[in-house]
Amino acid sequence: MKNCLDLTGRVAVVVGATSGIGRAIAVGLAAHGADVVPTGRRSSQLKAVCREIEAEGAQTLCHPADVRDRGSLAALRDAVLAKFGGIDVLVNAAGYTFRQPTLEVCDDKWSALLDTDLTGALRTAQIFHGPLKANGRGRVINIASLGSFLAFHEVAAYCAAKSALLSLTRSLACEWARDGISVNAIAPGVFPTELNTQLVKNNQRGNEMLMRTPMRRFGRPEELVGAAVLLASDGATFLTGQCIAVDGGYLASGVNS
């Protein structure tokens, strides 16, 4: 029987892959047979990720890009097409957060976060739509959040962006199904990364999150690879507009003691 999770011959672009979740997914897709192009703004970190991908036996391309710059995304697309001839999978993992009482959040901080975490994903999907449509089996995987479903204290901008990203995932799934493109999302639970470690490690906030997680631990970025491989593969040919929560049971949880 053919392994429906084998990604051999597929080309994946992972945006926001210089650290954390995006980096783990980029390397994980390579380990499952895909050629992977990671990207982000930080060239030094990007080179390190490319070396990890090559260590998995995959081909790659080191090409920085910024989700807030449409021109840089178009240049990335063109460079990937020039080297690989096509693009099968797009992972939107770029994003950041900040904690601040919502009453004090200024317009500029609010707009900057939404431009990266939400509009950046839309911008990237638009830029890569053409090659994803051309191969007839395109996949878009957006990285959502528990904040797509729940409110978290004093991170309203992030939760608003991630809620909207889940809605965008569903809208694009409905519109682009006719183009042979499936659009899904992964909602990680609490995964300490460079993005959020100060918010969740060794403090009351993190302890409350652990209490609400039935598995009683934080996630590890590599534990998101399986969901990403599924959504990128032939194992998900009739799956679109969905969000897989990889959260240790957080969203299912009621009383845990």
Side-chain angles (χ1 to χ4, degrees), residues 154-240:
E154 296 182 344
V155 287
Y158 180 78
C159 290
K162 290 299 187 177
S163 296
L165 180 61
L166 181 52
S167 180
L168 177 64
T169 298
R170 293 168 177 150
S171 294
L172 292 183
C174 293
E175 290 187 39
W176 291 3
R178 68 195 67 183
D179 297 329
I181 301 172
S182 68
V183 186
N184 292 289
I186 298 170
V190 186
F191 285 72
T193 66
E194 181 181 305
L195 175 72
N196 65 2
T197 293
Q198 291 184 338
L199 295 180
V200 303
K201 274 289 191 79
N202 302 316
N203 55 43
Q204 182 178 349
R205 188 183 188 92
N207 292 338
E208 181 179 348
M209 289 175 172
L210 285 174
M211 180 189 72
R212 292 173 180 267
T213 303
M215 287 190 176
R216 286 293 197 273
R217 66 174 177 84
F218 295 131
R220 300 183 296 273
E222 59 269 21
E223 291 180 298
L224 295 166
V225 170
V229 170
L230 170 63
L231 295 177
S233 74
D234 286 340
T237 53
F238 200 55
L239 198 166
T240 197

Side-chain angles (χ1 to χ4, degrees), residues 102-122:
T102 306
L103 187 62
E104 301 172 7
V105 177
C106 67
D107 288 357
D108 288 346
K109 287 190 72 173
W110 178 276
S111 297
L113 187 143
L114 264 68
D115 193 34
T116 297
D117 291 25
L118 173 61
T119 309
L122 171 63

